[in-house]
């Protein structure tokens, strides 16, 4: 079972507005200075307030949707997507559970589509094309203290669960203090989605080998966060040629239809390591891996060998709102299988 | 007044995963009680006759037979393990001296014969006592073998193996009232088998969509009607129950009756669907009612009324405000079972913190009891438990936040005739009985 303490610690039951059981898990430190958050409230809010409704004009009332509800809904969405992905399968995952979670995700997505939040997210994703934007976004989300983050050296107090969840739980905890949660929550999905961090956020042998910054452990943790951000960011698949932390995650490196270059993807990693260029070796390793999608059958029935999509791709496959051609690229699957195999050997699983 | 009778299983705090009990079932007479565990083993307990010394006590259940029913397997095609966990055990009605039961894991159903041997033949002509063949030239006279008593030996042997019929995980098996056929249900399909034929089964329900991405509903449980061999029901993850008549069509994708309670719009949340998912469906012994268990409640349905249940019992309504946490830690997906007593006047189901609940349908009274080692003194009366929901916690009450969600009672069974219940608490089996006084 994945570490759920982070959200549990601060999860709020949304509709009844009562605080849920708080688990005895670690308390998240307040990582994001208020000022930082506020900075990001505006860009994300702008699309909403600028009056660009997208295809289905959300009713004005929707815009006044409580930020707390919206945040919680986002948190539930992310939690659900993690659950769908987290099946580190030795045994086939429980189909009933997967279907129920998938239905929950659909419901949230439908609701978000109706009140326009989905469009905001999609637009923001579309807008955040250039690495620079992403850089900024992830930088803010990643760093704990200014100097530490910049250096990319400080050990992360982030929960193992991953930035995404830790982040949201932070949001919830500080709800009273900062008004800009909505934006942060909508921001997070803007992060790259290509390869969703799966599971037990384990060691990343790839990074170990590459050892860009010389500190493997930090890189792994950082990379986990980045991966999460990345996955969140791009709901249309992008090249995520970064190396995932586990063999399975190599599968999940999900490469997009609109060929983003590895450089852009690696660009996001550069947040943590502001200066080093993308590793050419890594890029090459992943350069010819095509986007791979996986069909829900796979998700739900746990075909371990097939590569998996990032969460938002999953959403697209689930919803009719954003139909995606789920072409199963057999060729890339074999590549990814090989990759998977290599990763397994490296990881020694 | 329920009292503790026995507890089976290790006391050790450290529970081995393989020892976790995954199913409990009395046979038709109540003489035998079978349990299956995650390690693929079946343990059968037999009711001993009452002792003359203590007539006020019903007899105890002692181990009768233990055998390894299923072994872990590997699906090479999907590179996935197939768990050996026993999902369900169902007894066949007894027809001769031997006992038969069906046990199933995710993929394979097996018919086991449990027979006693308390005599053996001695004095064979062609082989000696060790079993060695005697030299024919040494045989000078004929003798008739004699049956001699021996220590009782209980043997379990697999008589039929029903394999390769389910792509998805088997969640239910149910013996038909004709005693010749049985059904097995997985997430998307239900098959009808003949007990004698292992290489063929009829697919009677198939809800797999052509495009798996359109899958939004799965089968969660299925059961044959206790008297009408052509009728069965199956429940879904969307809180619906379909009753099908096999006489209508070979493929019962179209239901005869559709049971669904309209949703209460005021309590709608993102978790509504998940908590409406039915984890168990059981016909009453009379065959007139059926009971369904969803996450927070148990509902009794009259088979003649499809639009709503006739009775609804809240099992642990105090969890409604905790659904988000329960979703996060996956407890919201726990599949609780439910059972009827022999006369259909009471129903029982499990909850968390090793609590289980009983509802009397006539008096509408309910009781919460706990299966714990602390209250396990011989013949000790079980004290009713209460979970405090409000701010003030009375003495002896337990607050919702103190509940142990790892201690869940998913499997319970009620003796078909007497007031004896078997409650599986993780790796321990508790047997309680109603005091006769």
């Amino acid at each position: 079972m994945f570490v759920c303490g982070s959200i549990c610690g601060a999860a709020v039951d949304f509709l009844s507005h009562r605080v849920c059981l708080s688990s005895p898990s670690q308390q998240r430190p307040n990582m994001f200075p208020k000022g930082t958050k506020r900075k990001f409230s505006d860009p994300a809010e702008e699309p909403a307030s600028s009056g660009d409704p997208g295809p289905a004009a959300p009713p004005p009332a929707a815009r006044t949707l409580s930020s707390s509800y919206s945040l919680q809904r986002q948190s539930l969405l992310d939690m659900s997507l993690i659950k769908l992905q987290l099946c580190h399968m030795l045994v086939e995952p429980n189909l009933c559970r997967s279907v129920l979670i998938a239905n929950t995700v659909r419901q949230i997505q439908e609701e978000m589509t109706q009140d326009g939040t989905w469009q905001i997210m999609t637009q923001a994703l579309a807008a955040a094309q250039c690495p620079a934007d992403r850089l900024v976004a992830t930088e803010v989300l990643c760093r704990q203290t200014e100097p530490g983050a910049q250096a990319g050296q400080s050990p992360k107090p982030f929960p193992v669960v991953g930035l995404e969840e830790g982040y949201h739980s932070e949001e919830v905890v500080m709800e009273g203090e900062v008004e800009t949660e909505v934006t942060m929550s909508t921001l997070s999905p803007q992060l790259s989605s290509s390869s969703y961090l799966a599971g037990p956020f384990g060691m990343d042998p790839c990074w170990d080998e590459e050892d860009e910054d010389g500190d493997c452990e930090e890189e792994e943790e950082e990379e986990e966060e980045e991966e999460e951000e990345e996955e969140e960011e791009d709901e249309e698949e992008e090249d995520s040629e970064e190396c995932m932390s586990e063999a399975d995650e190599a599968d999940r490196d999900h490469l997009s239809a609109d060929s983003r270059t590895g450089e852009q993807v690696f660009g996001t990693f550069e947040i943590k390591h502001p200066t080093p260029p993308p590793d050419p070796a890594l890029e090459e390793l992943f350069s010819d891996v095509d986007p791979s999608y996986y069909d829900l059958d796979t998700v739900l029935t746990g075909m371990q060998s097939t590569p998996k999509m990032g969460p938002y791709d999953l959403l697209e496959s689930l919803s009719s709102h954003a139909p995606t051609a789920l072409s199963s690229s057999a060729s890339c699957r074999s590549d990814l299988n090989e990759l998977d195999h290599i990763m397994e050997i490296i990881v020694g699983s | 007044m329920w009292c503790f009778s026995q507890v089976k299983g290790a006391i050790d705090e450290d529970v081995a995963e393989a020892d976790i009990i995954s199913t409990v079932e009395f046979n038709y007479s109540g003489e035998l009680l079978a349990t299956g565990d995650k390690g693929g083993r079946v343990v059968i307990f037999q009711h001993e006759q009452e002792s003359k010394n203590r007539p006020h006590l019903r007899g105890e259940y002692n181990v009768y037979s233990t055998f390894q029913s299923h072994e872990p397997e590997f699906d090479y095609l999907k590179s996935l393990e197939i768990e050996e966990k026993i999902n369900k055990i169902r007894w066949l009605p007894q027809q001769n001296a031997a006992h038969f039961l069906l046990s199933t894991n995710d993929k394979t159903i097996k018919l086991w014969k449990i027979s006693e041997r308390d005599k053996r033949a001695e004095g064979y002509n062609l082989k000696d006592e060790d079993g060695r063949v005697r030299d024919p030239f040494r045989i000078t006279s004929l003798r008739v073998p004699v049956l001699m008593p021996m220590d009782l030996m209980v043997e379990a042997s697999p008589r039929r193996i029903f394999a390769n019929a389910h792509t998805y995980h088997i969640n239910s098996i149910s013996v038909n009232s004709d005693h010749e056929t049985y059904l097995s249900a997985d997430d998307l399909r239900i098959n009808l088998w003949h007990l004698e034929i292992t290489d063929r089964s009829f697919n009677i329900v198939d809800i797999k969509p052509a495009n798996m991405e359109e899958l939004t509903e799965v089968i969660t449980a299925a059961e044959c009607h206790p008297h009408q061999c052509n009728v069965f029901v199956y429940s879904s993850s969307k809180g619906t129950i379909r009753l099908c008549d096999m006489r209508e069509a070979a493929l019962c994708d179209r239901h005869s009756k559709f049971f669904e309670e309209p949703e209460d719009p005021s309590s709608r949340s993102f978790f509504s669907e998940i908590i409406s998912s039915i984890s168990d469906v059981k016909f009453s012994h009379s065959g007139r009612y059926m009971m369904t268990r969803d996450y927070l409640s148990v509902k009794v349905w009259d088979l003649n009324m499809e639009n709503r249940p006739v009775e609804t019992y809240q099992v642990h309504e105090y969890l409604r405000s905790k659904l988000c946490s329960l979703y996060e830690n996956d407890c919201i997906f726990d599949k609780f079972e439910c059972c009827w007593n022999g006369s259909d006047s009471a129903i029982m189901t499990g909850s968390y913190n090793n609590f289980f609940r009983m509802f009397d349908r006539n008096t509408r009274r309910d009781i919460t009891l706990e299966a714990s080692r602390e209250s396990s003194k011989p013949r000790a009366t079980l004290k009713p438990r209460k979970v405090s929901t409000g701010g003030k916690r009375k003495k002896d009450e337990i607050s919702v936040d103190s509940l142990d969600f790892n201690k869940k009672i998913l499997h319970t069974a009620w003796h078909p005739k007497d007031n004896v219940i078997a409650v599986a608490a993780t790796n321990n089996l508790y047997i309680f009985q109603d005091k006769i006084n």
Side-chain angles (χ1 to χ4, degrees):
Chain A
M1 190 165 80
F2 69 99
V3 176
C4 59
S6 61
I7 288 194
C8 201
V12 177
D13 178 283
F14 9 136
L15 296 179
S16 60
H17 300 291
R18 273 177 271 177
V19 178
C20 283
L21 303 164
S22 59
S23 84
S25 64
Q26 62 274 41
Q27 293 298 314
R28 302 281 152 271
N30 181 345
M31 293 181 280
F32 308 118
K34 285 187 184 184
T36 308
K37 283 189 189 291
R38 265 192 205 103
K39 183 166 121 191
F40 286 93
S41 64
D42 307 314
E45 269 179 356
E46 268 168 341
S49 53
S50 69
D52 176 12
R63 303 221 182 96
T64 61
L65 195 65
S66 96
S67 63
S68 138
Y69 175 83
S70 188
L71 179 78
Q72 290 158 357
R73 181 175 60 185
Q74 187 64 47
S75 166
L76 182 66
L77 178 65
D78 296 329
M79 201 195 314
S80 305
L81 291 168
I82 292 171
K83 281 182 185 293
L84 279 175
Q85 295 278 331
L86 255 180
C87 319
H88 268 298
M89 293 161 289
L90 281 178
V91 184
E92 270 180 286
N94 183 337
L95 184 64
C96 181
R97 176 179 173 274
S98 303
V99 166
L100 289 172
I101 298 172
N103 289 351
T104 307
V105 166
R106 266 198 209 94
Q107 266 184 64
I108 297 175
Q109 189 194 12
E110 276 169 24
E111 199 182 277
M112 286 175 81
T113 306
Q114 277 168 17
D115 63 32
T117 330
W118 196 259
Q119 273 79 6
I120 297 169
M121 203 163 74
T122 331
Q123 282 159 14
L125 276 165
Q129 290 286 336
C130 63
D133 288 349
R134 233 179 297 148
L135 268 168
V136 173
T138 44
E139 182 191 44
V140 167
L141 294 164
C142 296
R143 76 180 172 212
Q144 319 125 35
T145 59
E146 295 277 341
Q150 289 300 339
Q153 298 300 325
S154 53
K156 299 287 185 245
F158 284 110
V160 162
V161 169
L163 173 68
E164 193 51 41
E165 294 162 34
Y167 166 60
H168 281 299
S169 67
E170 275 310 295
E171 295 294 301
V172 176
V173 163
M174 296 185 302
E175 201 182 330
E177 302 167 32
V178 186
E179 308 100 34
T180 57
E181 278 82 4
V182 182
T183 48
M184 294 312 270
S185 73
T186 53
L187 188 64
S188 67
Q190 296 165 18
L191 308 173
S192 164
S193 69
S194 358
S195 14
Y196 207 79
L197 188 69
F201 311 83
M203 304 297 285
D204 175 19
C206 179
W207 283 105
D208 271 339
E209 288 173 345
E210 299 311 322
D211 207 353
E212 287 192 82
D213 257 7
D215 188 335
C216 300
E217 198 179 20
E218 284 161 27
E219 281 173 17
E220 277 142 22
E221 290 181 74
E222 293 164 355
E223 194 222 339
E224 285 166 19
E225 292 144 13
E226 286 162 347
E227 287 160 15
E228 296 232 84
E229 293 149 17
E230 300 218 287
E231 317 159 60
E232 294 307 307
E233 183 165 348
D234 186 9
E235 68 166 349
E236 307 121 22
E237 302 67 48
E238 24 172 61
D239 285 346
S240 79
E241 298 176 350
E242 72 277 11
C243 185
M244 301 311 292
S245 59
E246 282 195 4
D248 287 343
E249 293 168 21
D251 281 339
R252 301 193 176 103
D253 276 350
H254 136 127
L255 311 161
S256 74
D258 54 54
S259 47
R260 299 218 177 174
T261 63
E263 176 137 342
Q264 285 181 332
V265 163
F266 284 120
T268 53
F269 287 150
E270 294 183 34
I271 299 152
K272 309 284 176 104
H273 330 293
T275 46
D279 189 291
L282 263 184
E283 264 189 285
E284 197 192 38
L285 187 61
F286 293 92
S287 62
D288 56 357
V289 189
D290 293 328
S292 78
Y293 302 82
Y294 70 96
D295 54 70
L296 199 58
D297 196 353
T298 308
V299 177
L300 298 180
T301 59
M303 301 284 283
Q304 192 177 25
S305 56
T306 51
K308 301 175 175 67
M309 294 193 293
Y312 287 88
D313 311 305
L314 200 57
L315 284 177
E316 292 186 8
S317 75
L318 292 175
S319 80
S320 52
H321 296 286
T324 313
L326 282 178
S327 53
S328 59
S329 7
S331 58
C332 84
R333 272 190 193 181
S334 57
D335 290 337
L336 283 166
N337 283 344
E338 259 175 48
L339 202 58
D340 186 33
H341 183 59
I342 294 166
M343 293 309 297
E344 268 181 50
I345 294 170
I346 293 169
V347 171
S349 56
Chain B
M1 289 252 277
W2 290 93
C3 350
F4 170 79
S5 174
Q6 296 171 270
V7 59
K8 307 284 188 193
I11 306 175
D12 211 9
E13 274 300 313
D14 216 4
V15 178
E17 176 105 1
D19 293 337
I20 296 175
I21 298 170
S22 50
T23 184
V24 185
E25 187 81 358
F26 280 100
N27 74 340
Y28 282 73
S29 63
E31 184 208 352
L32 298 177
L33 174 61
T35 60
D37 64 22
K38 274 195 168 182
R41 292 164 302 199
V42 171
V43 180
I44 301 176
F45 300 92
Q46 184 188 39
H47 187 242
E48 304 288 347
Q49 294 305 317
E50 279 102 38
S51 73
K52 294 185 173 58
N53 301 331
R54 299 193 312 204
H56 61 279
L57 247 197
R58 289 200 185 87
E60 290 195 333
Y61 282 87
N62 295 316
V63 177
Y64 179 65
S65 172
T66 305
F67 56 93
Q68 186 75 36
S69 171
H70 287 73
E71 297 277 1
E73 285 170 45
F74 195 76
D75 180 337
Y76 295 96
L77 204 58
K78 294 184 188 174
S79 288
L80 292 170
E81 275 181 22
I82 298 171
E83 279 188 324
E84 68 275 29
K85 171 169 77 89
I86 308 293
N87 292 337
K88 283 284 172 353
I89 289 174
R90 290 286 183 265
W91 290 93
L92 265 55
Q94 192 174 9
Q95 288 170 329
N96 52 36
H99 299 275
F100 288 86
L101 61 77
L102 286 168
S103 70
T104 185
N105 69 348
D106 285 337
K107 299 285 186 181
T108 306
I109 306 139
K110 295 187 184 181
L111 176 70
W112 288 88
K113 175 181 179 183
I114 297 107
S115 48
E116 290 183 9
R117 189 194 288 268
D118 61 354
K119 298 186 259 297
R120 60 171 188 178
E122 285 179 18
Y124 285 101
N125 289 295
L126 295 177
K127 55 183 174 152
D128 61 22
E129 294 314 316
D130 300 336
R132 280 182 307 212
V133 178
R134 287 170 76 192
D135 186 359
F137 295 109
R138 300 285 178 83
I139 301 170
T140 53
S141 61
L142 281 180
R143 55 187 177 172
V144 178
V146 181
L147 287 176
M148 301 296 288
M150 59 179 261
D151 289 337
L152 179 67
M153 204 163 73
V154 181
E155 301 169 324
S157 59
R159 305 301 289 182
R160 305 272 185 278
I161 296 180
F162 304 91
N164 303 320
H166 286 279
T167 310
Y168 302 96
H169 292 179
I170 297 174
N171 52 54
S172 315
I173 46 175
S174 179
V175 182
N176 211 342
S177 53
D178 61 11
H179 303 160
E180 282 185 358
T181 57
Y182 74 95
L183 63 74
S184 61
D186 67 29
D187 295 316
L188 298 177
R189 299 191 176 100
I190 301 180
N191 293 333
L192 183 72
W193 301 83
H194 191 283
L195 284 164
E196 298 291 327
I197 300 169
T198 58
D199 61 353
R200 278 200 302 281
S201 73
F202 290 101
N203 175 241
I204 53 177
V205 173
D206 188 340
I207 64 167
K208 182 179 178 187
N211 184 355
M212 275 296 271
E213 284 159 30
E214 292 162 11
L215 179 66
T216 55
E217 192 174 9
V218 299
I219 297 169
T220 52
E223 201 181 40
C224 291
H225 191 278
H227 308 308
Q228 297 167 35
C229 58
N230 52 297
V231 171
F232 66 95
V233 291
Y234 67 94
S235 60
S236 82
S237 56
K238 286 197 171 173
T240 65
I241 308 102
R242 289 170 176 79
L243 184 143
C244 301
D245 187 333
M246 289 189 269
R247 296 172 301 187
E248 285 183 2
L251 190 59
C252 302
D253 279 358
R254 285 203 345 243
H255 51 263
S256 300
K257 293 196 185 186
F258 183 78
F259 299 82
E260 187 179 27
E261 182 170 28
E263 197 189 352
D264 175 10
S266 66
S267 65
R268 173 128 192 90
S269 74
F270 283 119
F271 304 113
S272 294
E273 185 183 317
I274 299 177
I275 62 170
S276 74
S277 172
I278 291 172
S279 51
D280 194 16
V281 65
K282 291 264 171 45
F283 278 105
S284 64
H285 291 94
S286 64
R288 174 145 175 230
Y289 298 97
M290 68 177 174
M291 165 167 58
T292 57
R293 175 69 156 100
D294 52 69
Y295 191 63
L296 297 179
S297 67
V298 186
K299 297 178 181 175
V300 175
W301 302 77
D302 183 325
L303 292 186
N304 298 317
M305 188 161 74
E306 298 168 56
N307 59 356
R308 60 178 175 83
V310 289
E311 294 153 32
T312 302
Y313 301 94
Q314 300 302 332
V315 181
H316 37 217
E317 183 68 11
Y318 46 79
L319 294 182
R320 193 179 286 273
S321 58
K322 311 290 184 193
L323 292 178
C324 193
S325 300
L326 294 165
Y327 178 72
E328 189 182 10
N329 63 17
D330 267 11
C331 283
I332 208 174
F333 301 108
D334 286 335
K335 293 192 185 302
F336 291 95
E337 292 173 9
C338 52
C339 57
W340 299 84
N341 71 342
S343 58
D344 298 337
S345 64
I347 58 184
M348 171 168 64
T349 188
S351 178
Y352 293 106
N353 209 68
N354 278 354
F355 288 172
F356 57 99
R357 304 260 287 139
M358 282 193 224
F359 303 93
D360 186 316
R361 294 177 65 212
N362 300 324
T363 64
R364 292 307 174 116
R365 283 211 305 253
D366 62 271
I367 190 170
T368 306
L369 298 172
E370 184 180 0
S372 74
R373 292 272 174 176
E374 285 76 41
S375 50
S376 302
K377 299 178 186 49
R379 301 193 303 286
T381 307
L382 293 180
K383 198 173 72 169
R385 305 304 307 260
K386 190 149 164 45
V387 176
S388 75
T389 48
K392 277 219 172 245
R393 188 175 73 88
K394 297 197 188 74
K395 181 173 170 296
D396 282 353
E397 282 187 0
I398 183 166
S399 76
V400 184
D401 296 318
S402 317
L403 293 174
D404 187 342
F405 288 88
N406 291 319
K407 293 190 180 164
K408 40 194 105 175
I409 293 191
L410 304 172
H411 313 288
T412 57
W414 206 313
H415 191 287
K417 300 183 175 66
D418 299 334
N419 271 348
V420 177
I421 54 177
V423 174
T426 318
N427 62 330
N428 290 144
L429 182 73
Y430 287 82
I431 300 172
F432 301 108
Q433 48 193 26
D434 206 6
K435 236 184 208 166
I436 332 158
N437 261 352

